């Protein structure tokens, strides 16, 4: 297909001998913004300096994606999903610009010290907890994806569509990051707040490590 031919041409002309590949995207605000990579890319993912990041296992890399091609050719790859999709958010623009400049500094393309946000979190992709709706209802979030939620604190409530009473609360079993709210997330989807029985109210991710702007690595 034409897209395959374009991808083939770009890969062979520019990417197959790259020192690092940065793959920037956006997804819906129902999901926390996130940067990630595999273990071979850890130094680059960390240097990118995004507030929320994770290092996932190679088995989690989706076949056919740019990250998979980089992994096969042992090229470090940083993937970053900004939020919200189709919207220019000044704070996310700052995060993205800082990350691009940090990678350029890390690679020696430009001079200067890496700049980091005041706090950033390494998330545990295997330390995930989902709260599932026991009845249909309206999800009302008390926090935004990316927020730190303490043990037992309600991050979202499931509200009965007829009585408007709380049917269920979504709270983590320990201090965690609110990963997503509602049953929709990702790209190219319309967010909505009504869930059916068995659908997700909220999802939480464990905190592997919390960094301050004075930490290294």
């Amino acid at each position: 297909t034409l897209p395959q031919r374009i991808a083939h041409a770009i890969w062979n002309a520019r990417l197959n001998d790259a020192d690092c590949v940065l793959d920037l995207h956006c997804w819906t605000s129902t999901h926390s913004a996130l940067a990630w990579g595999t273990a071979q890319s850890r130094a680059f993912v960390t240097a990118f300096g995004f507030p929320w990041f994770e290092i996932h296992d190679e088995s989690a890399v989706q076949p056919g994606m740019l990250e998979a091609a980089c992994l096969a050719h042992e090229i470090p790859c940083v993937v970053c999903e900004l939020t919200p999709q189709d919207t220019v958010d000044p704070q996310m623009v700052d995060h993205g610009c800082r990350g691009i400049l940090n990678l350029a500094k890390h690679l020696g393309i430009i001079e200067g010290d890496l700049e980091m946000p005041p706090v950033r979190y390494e998330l545990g992709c295997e330390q995930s907890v989902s709260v599932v709706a026991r009845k249909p209802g309206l999800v009302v979030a008390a926090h935004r994806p990316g927020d730190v939620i303490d043990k037992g604190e309600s991050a979202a409530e499931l509200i009965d569509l007829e009585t408007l009473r709380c049917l269920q609360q979504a709270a983590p079993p320990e201090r965690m990051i609110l990963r997503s709210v509602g049953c929709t997330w990702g790209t190219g989807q319309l967010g909505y707040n009504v869930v059916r029985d068995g659908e997700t109210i909220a999802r939480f991710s464990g905190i592997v490590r919390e960094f301050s702007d004075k930490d290294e690595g």
Side-chain angles (χ1 to χ4, degrees), residues 24-93:
L24 283 173
H25 296 270
C26 287
W27 60 23
T28 61
S29 58
T30 58
H31 194 287
S32 172
L34 185 68
W36 70 82
T38 60
Q40 75 170 11
S41 304
R42 171 178 280 277
F44 296 87
V45 174
T46 304
F48 188 71
F50 204 66
W52 309 273
F53 71 95
E54 70 178 23
I55 306 299
H56 59 208
D57 188 78
E58 294 181 3
S59 62
V61 177
Q62 298 183 29
M65 303 296 285
L66 179 57
E67 184 184 16
C70 291
L71 180 63
H73 289 78
E74 299 183 346
I75 300 172
C77 180
V78 179
V79 184
C80 183
E81 296 277 2
L82 305 169
T83 60
Q85 193 173 29
D86 303 323
T87 302
V88 177
D89 179 271
Q91 185 179 42
M92 285 296 163
V93 171

Side-chain angles (χ1 to χ4, degrees), residues 197-209:
D197 181 11
E199 292 184 331
T200 302
I201 300 174
R203 190 158 67 101
F204 303 92
S205 284
I207 301 172
V208 175
R209 183 174 176 184

Side-chain angles (χ1 to χ4, degrees), residues 20 22 43-44 47-49 94 97-116:
C20 178
L22 172 61
F44 296 87
F48 188 71
D94 289 343
C97 289
R98 181 183 59 233
I100 293 169
L101 293 175
N102 277 348
L103 282 182
K105 295 172 185 177
H106 184 71
L107 289 162
I109 297 172
I110 61 175
E111 297 181 352
D113 297 327
L114 302 183
E115 296 183 11
M116 297 292 167

